[in-house]
Amino acid sequence: MPTSKAAWKPIGVKALEDDADLVVRAGESRLVIAGPGAGKTELLAQRAAYLLQTGLCADPQRILALSFKRDAARNLAERVRKRIGPTLAARLDSFTFDAFAKSMVDRFRNALPEAWRPTSDYELDFKVATNTRDAILAIPDAHLSLTRGQREALPHPRGTFFRKYVVGAPLPLVASEADTDAHVAGRALWSHLLHGTRRSVLAFPMITRLAQLILNHNTTLLAALRGTYAFVFLDEFQDTTGPQYAWTRTAFAGSASILTAVGDPKQCVMRWAGAVPAVFATFTKYFGGIETPLKQNHRSASTLVAVQAVVARRIDANSVAAQPVGEYASAKAECLLLEYGDHEAEAADLAARIDGWIREENLDPRDLCVLTRQQPYVYAATLVAALAKVGRRARVEQDLQDVLSEPLTSACLDLLRLAVQTRAPASWVRATEVLERLDSSLQGADRTADRLSTHTEELREAFARDASVTEIVQRMIDFLGEARFRAVEPTYREGQLFFDTRNKFEAALDAAKRGRTWRDAVDEVEGVGAIPILTAHKSKGLEYHTIVFIGLEDNAHFGFANSPKEETSVFFVALSRAKRRVVATFAERRITRQGRGPERQARDAIQSFYEALEEAGVRPVRVGPKR
């Protein structure tokens, strides 16, 4: 029996701020401006609960939630299940934009015109956008009339050609004459990647354009999509790319579907990857959404919120400071700007400080995060060594983060955790949910528990006889069922992503197992006890007690001259990950390139960062002598 709209109350939280409650109960499209710590995931979870429990989203209609990152999509789905249980929550489809577009192409590939139809076993290539020049030069002369000189003369700035001439416009049903050499080359690249080799090669923006073409080409499928999804959530809306926004307009503009878009223009740090600059301004035009700002920050202490507010005004002069609320609002906090003679002095001092914070404040190492603007393997190398000297482990998680966020990796790690640890209740709950999704006949605690217990014992027996990592991974995949897993996870249905994920996970596990017990190997893969090191971009959506942002220097922010607002947004994102402490550093000499010695650093180009910090009352503190 549905709950009445008047009787429904938020679940699992004491209350929502007034504007958040309006969004949760809205009967029309909304554009929600949600700054750092505003609780956007909770807002979307509560809205899903409201729509499903009141029957406003009535069976068989569903909710489609599209996120930018895989962990964000998974977190939303998990939070909704906790709020309303698995039965109702099953009617929320939470995907990344890329995953949903891929699922459409995988399911309806044969609905594409032959000229645009990829092979069923197409390969994902994440470097096509940046390797476009080499790809165009490799096209056989018979398939591209341009001379080598004409090809080399094409505009090839990193990623720009791909975004403008390959995926910059909707695909036509029938190929038309291209009007410039660049358009000729872009069309030829499509043809070569789709049909030039035995197996098609696609990047996710290309897949999104193919998904849009499917909807443009098939009114029946378009009507079915709109009829299925009465409500649509768009998370991290500021990072929406041109192809993603075009797909969204094709799919839902002018329909009866109600959209809730959530994002923060101040955190738009993906322009380099094709994020649409004016996406907020056009939302109202196409979807009629009412703009609703959230005013609270549930993450950071008031001291840090005040610093964030000053930096935010450098991005948007009309930005209004958030209201700190929650457990950290009145907590003691600090924002430090530390200056060093060189990167070695910086590393030694930071290692001592980090070790002290962990011991004195009883922090888990993963409560801290070291951020860099770029090249974390280079910028953080000396700090990693210095931390090791004081008995602290740190690791760069830049590449591993993507593998760990994959559903296959998460499922396997939970199975391993159950086998190496006497009690692992969180892994047990997640593994149970995965098994029941894979096999509906297992709905029932006893049957699921029996299967899990049996598999756990089999893994332990394999550990005891020193089975290889390859065998262990294969045993887990056989237990889960490859065909079932690929069927329920849309990104794995076609193409090579399942096998690529399996191989990367196996490689990470194999590296972790060398010289370690299985318990320690699982800890190593998951990063237990290790301080994470990421770029500021990769930290989006995450939060930590303490943030250490290395290298507040011109070299690190070399893009400032051309993109001052985006670089300031990166700085804002880094600062706003912290709950209690932010430390930013400057070193007069630093290694910034692999294989090179220390080079003198400056801060002239990004002086506005320092001015903002000074305005917020944060002044540089010299540590050690000048060089």
Side-chain angles (χ1 to χ4, degrees), residues 17-35:
E17 67 172 282
D18 291 344
D19 285 332
D21 193 68
L22 284 176
V23 172
V24 164
R25 301 172 187 271
E28 66 288 313
S29 293
R30 292 267 176 162
L31 174 59
V32 184
I33 310 300

Side-chain angles (χ1 to χ4, degrees), residues 288-307:
I290 299 173
E291 185 171 312
T292 310
L294 300 186
K295 302 178 180 66
Q296 296 180 346
N297 183 321
H298 297 262
R299 174 186 301 152
S300 302
S302 57
T303 300
L304 300 185
V305 173
V307 176

Side-chain angles (χ1 to χ4, degrees), residues 404 407-428 430-431 452 455-464 467-477 479-480 502 505-510 512-513 517-526:
L404 292 176
L408 177 62
T409 304
S410 298
C412 287
L413 283 173
D414 281 328
L415 295 178
L416 285 171
R417 180 61 67 189
L418 292 173
V420 302
Q421 200 166 307
T422 304
R423 287 183 54 80
S427 291
W428 180 271
R430 289 192 297 265
L452 264 181
H455 178 67
T456 296
E457 289 305 316
E458 290 173 351
L459 282 184
R460 289 172 178 164
E461 291 170 5
F463 295 161
S468 68
V469 168
T470 299
E471 179 185 337
I472 295 297
V473 172
Q474 188 60 53
R475 278 178 170 271
M476 291 187 291
I477 290 175
F479 172 68
L480 294 168
R502 181 239 167 95
F505 169 60
E506 186 176 316
L509 187 59
D510 186 61
K513 181 64 179 69
T517 65
W518 274 101
R519 169 71 179 264
D520 289 343
V522 175
D523 286 350
E524 174 69 16
V525 173
E526 292 185 335

Side-chain angles (χ1 to χ4, degrees), residues 303-459:
T303 300
L304 300 185
V305 173
V307 176
Q308 295 165 22
V310 175
V311 177
R313 288 196 294 271
R314 300 282 171 145
I315 304 168
D316 176 5
N318 297 317
S319 177
V320 178
Q323 175 189 350
V325 297
E327 61 175 313
Y328 294 111
S330 58
K332 181 180 178 181
E334 62 180 344
C335 182
L336 301 176
L337 175 56
L338 305 179
E339 296 181 341
Y340 301 92
D342 59 29
H343 65 292
E344 292 181 342
E346 172 192 76
D349 180 64
L350 288 177
R353 289 174 186 263
I354 289 170
D355 180 54
W357 294 330
I358 292 173
R359 284 187 291 102
E360 295 163 15
E361 299 174 28
N362 195 30
L363 299 177
D364 186 286
R366 298 196 72 78
D367 290 335
L368 297 87
C369 185
V370 176
L371 298 182
T372 68
R373 172 63 182 88
Q374 56 169 311
Q375 300 188 88
Y377 289 101
V378 177
Y379 273 74
T382 308
L383 177 57
V384 170
L387 283 165
K389 289 181 180 179
V390 299
R392 298 295 178 186
R393 191 163 64 91
R395 67 173 188 176
V396 177
E397 299 188 352
Q398 193 70 6
D399 300 322
L400 191 58
Q401 188 189 60
D402 291 336
V403 179
L404 292 176
S405 67
E406 285 288 344
L408 177 62
T409 304
S410 298
C412 287
L413 283 173
D414 281 328
L415 295 178
L416 285 171
R417 180 61 67 189
L418 292 173
V420 302
Q421 200 166 307
T422 304
R423 287 183 54 80
S427 291
W428 180 271
V429 170
R430 289 192 297 265
T432 299
E433 290 175 349
V434 168
L435 285 182
E436 292 180 350
R437 283 181 62 215
L438 294 174
D439 186 352
S440 58
S441 69
L442 287 176
Q443 298 293 334
D446 292 342
R447 295 192 63 188
T448 307
D450 288 345
R451 282 200 62 189
L452 264 181
S453 297
T454 299
H455 178 67
T456 296
E457 289 305 316
E458 290 173 351
L459 282 184

Side-chain angles (χ1 to χ4, degrees), residues 32-51:
V32 184
I33 310 300
K40 61 183 180 62
T41 303
E42 186 61 50
L43 177 139
L44 292 175
Q46 295 293 342
R47 178 151 173 77
Y50 173 76
L51 295 172

